[in-house]
Amino acid sequence: MLEINPGLIFWTIITFIAVLAILKKVAWKPLLTALTSREEQIRTALQQAEHAQTEAMKLLEENKRHLAQADAHAQQAMREGREMGERLRVEIVEKANANARAMVEQAKDEIRRERDAALTQLRGEVADLAVIAAGKIIDANLDVNKHRQLVDNVINEIRPS
Amino acid sequence: MNFLAFFTSADTTHVAAESAQHAAAAGEHHGEMSVSEMFKHLFEHVQDSRELELPFIGHVPLPQFAPIEIGGVSLDLSITKHVVFLWFSAALLILLMVLAARANRKNRVPTGWGNLVEVFVKFIRDEIVVPNMGEAGLKYMPYLLTTFFYILIMNLFGLVPWGSSATGNVSVTAGLAIVAFIMIQFSAIRAQGLGHYLAHLTGGVPVFLWPIMIPIEILGLFTKPFALCIRLFANMTGGHLVIVSLFGLIFLFKSYLIGAVTTSFVVAINFLELFVAFLQAYVFTMLTSIFMGLGIQAGHAPHDEHAEHSH
């Protein structure tokens, strides 16, 4: 059982070398390259995934910042709008008030002027009527101008101040 | 007594030829076989032989060649049973590995058989080669993979009915150990350079101790593969001998009860054998890789020293 058979040793070595040569070509090379290339693929895929994640985080962060900025902008715009509206309102009201006051003043002036004119006219009419009445009453030959002066004086004296 | 006589005679006589005679004899008078004859018949499974036992066909004689004399050594290149199993294992291994390689090239995610083979390949690469030999060991991956799978498949053939494990023959393991020896020396010389390799044989001791040191170191080179050879052979034969002995008990005691007990034992031993088949293939590969790694790493150390000195 323990005796050495050199022929069998020879066959073993020859067969082993042949198996090694064949397997190296048809099995180990393809298997090992498949293994290493897959490992490489997995490694790069993981790296890419990690990269993508950091990128996504960055984008998210940026988006958040943009959103916050937009919010602030909107708030400010609203505040400014409100302030401006308030200011405008006050301005408009004041202007309207001023206008109204001016119109009232104008109207008052007009009224006063009209009243003065009407009074003047009325006085003239009254004087004329008075003269006519007086002439008719006293005398038709009376000096019109002299009496008219007289009556004007009287009317001026009674004009309210 | 027959039992012992068998074992003592088996070691001294030319068993291959004798067992063939006995097998023929056993075939003639099957009924009245002596215990010793029965043992011899069972023992054939472990022995090399000049004929092949095939299912349903029986014993087939194998081609014989006249021994060739080379320098006093007679080289008998006759095809024996173990040579047949050597080749049969080789053919099956190549077929299985080609299937695995093809499957893995086709599928980006390996499945089934390809995946199983890849698990072993990856284990050998990441758990055996790289830790023991470093990145430089990847060059020797094909050799170590072949060693592992070839030994494994030869081991497993011993568990198949009508099969026989070629690794249970000391000449086959010697052949494998010789290849391992060559690879160990080759990788060491390649990594260290011939000068460093030879300088290493002196063990770094003073010159007057060299006559003692060099023979010891050279002996050391041979003991490692010798251990590989004997370990694999003994492990693969041992299990078979246990099974043969357990079956022998049936014929010794001629009892059904013993038959039931031993059969259950043999089933258990068979599972152990299955484990040992994997374990021994692993151990052989592992140790070869460690021995190669020692040579390779010894080559790296002086280079590093040089680099430090130059700075």
Side-chain angles (χ1 to χ4, degrees):
Chain A
M1 193 163 77
L2 274 169
E3 74 241 13
I4 294 281
N5 178 359
L8 193 47
I9 296 181
F10 171 81
W11 280 128
T12 307
I13 294 171
I14 293 294
T15 313
F16 185 88
I17 290 168
V19 170
L20 172 58
I22 294 168
L23 282 183
K24 187 177 176 180
K25 198 164 156 45
V26 300
W28 305 143
K29 275 233 172 85
L31 274 171
L32 287 171
T33 47
L35 185 64
T36 47
S37 72
R38 181 145 24 79
E39 278 173 346
E40 198 53 44
Q41 262 175 10
I42 291 169
R43 196 172 300 128
T44 50
L46 279 177
Q47 272 171 357
Q48 275 171 0
E50 227 164 80
H51 189 71
Q53 203 190 0
T54 50
E55 200 83 333
M57 288 296 260
K58 226 188 289 175
L59 273 176
L60 195 71
E61 209 61 28
E62 212 164 297
N63 274 354
K64 259 187 203 160
R65 216 177 52 237
H66 280 185
L67 215 66
Q69 261 175 9
D71 206 37
H73 270 301
Q75 291 279 0
Q76 199 182 350
M78 261 164 70
R79 206 166 46 241
E80 272 172 12
R82 210 178 296 133
E83 276 170 11
M84 201 177 192
E86 188 68 20
R87 217 167 42 237
L88 268 176
R89 192 179 66 84
V90 170
E91 227 167 74
I92 287 166
V93 167
E94 270 174 11
K95 213 184 268 175
N97 278 350
N99 261 358
R101 261 200 305 277
M103 273 163 78
V104 168
E105 281 308 310
Q106 217 176 349
K108 271 185 184 163
D109 275 359
E110 195 112 333
I111 288 165
R112 202 178 301 131
R113 241 192 345 267
E114 289 288 322
R115 199 193 58 190
D116 285 355
L119 275 178
T120 314
Q121 206 176 352
L122 190 65
R123 269 189 212 114
E125 297 270 326
V126 169
D128 281 349
L129 282 175
V131 169
I132 292 165
K136 271 182 181 166
I137 296 166
I138 306 166
D139 191 13
N141 291 343
L142 218 64
D143 186 359
V144 177
N145 280 334
K146 205 174 174 181
H147 287 107
R148 171 129 190 182
Q149 191 77 44
L150 204 72
V151 171
D152 276 349
N153 284 348
V154 172
I155 287 166
N156 275 343
E157 271 168 28
I158 64 167
R159 175 184 290 181
S161 51
Chain B
M1 281 310 291
N2 277 335
F3 183 81
L4 286 173
F6 164 68
F7 272 103
T8 49
S9 70
D11 284 338
T12 50
T13 51
H14 196 336
V15 183
E18 209 179 67
S19 66
Q21 283 171 9
H22 270 281
E28 276 165 25
H29 353 264
H30 211 278
E32 46 206 86
M33 201 185 291
S34 73
V35 172
S36 138
E37 276 172 337
M38 198 63 228
F39 254 97
K40 232 165 249 184
H41 194 60
L42 285 169
F43 211 62
E44 263 176 33
H45 177 70
V46 187
Q47 294 288 328
D48 202 359
S49 106
R50 291 183 183 276
E51 45 189 30
L52 194 60
E53 198 186 344
L54 290 173
F56 312 118
I57 299 169
H59 293 261
V60 179
L62 293 165
Q64 305 288 306
F65 306 118
I68 310 162
E69 295 283 338
I70 304 168
V73 181
S74 73
L75 197 61
D76 183 4
L77 292 181
S78 302
I79 311 302
T80 63
K81 186 175 77 170
H82 282 157
V83 176
V84 171
F85 276 99
L86 211 56
W87 290 345
F88 196 41
S89 311
L92 190 65
L93 178 64
I94 289 167
L95 177 73
L96 290 174
M97 291 301 133
V98 166
L99 287 178
R102 191 167 296 168
N104 279 12
R105 199 165 27 195
K106 207 163 56 189
N107 303 339
R108 273 183 70 184
V109 177
T111 51
W113 174 241
N115 195 14
L116 181 67
V117 170
E118 198 180 284
V119 168
F120 281 96
V121 171
K122 199 165 150 49
F123 178 79
I124 290 169
R125 192 192 64 181
D126 295 345
E127 306 297 325
I128 298 179
V129 172
V130 173
N132 291 322
M133 301 163 78
E135 295 292 315
L138 293 178
K139 281 199 294 282
Y140 302 105
M141 270 297 281
Y143 163 66
L144 290 162
L145 285 172
T146 310
T147 303
F148 177 80
F149 282 104
Y150 196 29
I151 290 175
L152 176 64
I153 201 158
M154 284 196 285
N155 290 351
L156 290 175
F157 256 111
L159 304 175
V160 176
W162 286 286
S164 168
S165 56
T167 43
N169 187 310
V170 76
S171 300
V172 172
T173 58
L176 293 171
I178 288 167
V179 176
F181 174 78
I182 293 167
M183 287 307 291
I184 291 165
Q185 308 316 321
F186 172 74
S187 63
I189 292 171
R190 193 166 156 190
Q192 304 176 18
L194 192 61
H196 276 292
Y197 172 77
L198 292 175
H200 215 71
L201 286 182
T202 65
V205 296
V207 177
F208 67 94
L209 283 176
W210 283 12
I212 305 168
M213 202 59 194
I214 289 171
I216 290 173
E217 285 284 340
I218 287 172
L219 207 63
L221 296 180
F222 287 99
T223 49
K224 290 166 188 166
F226 182 72
L228 285 179
C229 161
I230 297 299
R231 180 182 298 107
L232 181 58
F233 155 70
N235 272 288
M236 294 325 296
T237 308
H240 293 316
L241 286 183
V242 169
I243 290 174
V244 167
S245 308
L246 285 171
F247 274 135
L249 290 177
I250 302 172
F251 299 99
L252 259 178
F253 290 99
K254 293 191 165 64
S255 149
Y256 285 114
L257 186 67
I258 294 293
V261 172
T262 53
T263 306
S264 54
F265 267 58
V266 165
V267 169
I269 297 290
N270 248 310
F271 279 110
L272 184 70
E273 283 270 277
L274 189 62
F275 169 67
V276 169
F278 279 89
L279 182 73
Q280 287 308 316
Y282 164 70
V283 166
F284 196 102
T285 314
M286 176 79 168
L287 289 175
T288 308
S289 135
I290 288 173
F291 296 149
M292 287 172 84
L294 288 175
I296 290 171
Q297 252 117 50
H300 283 306
H303 284 304
D304 290 346
E305 275 171 26
H306 279 303
E308 276 171 22
H309 284 306
S310 64
H311 279 300

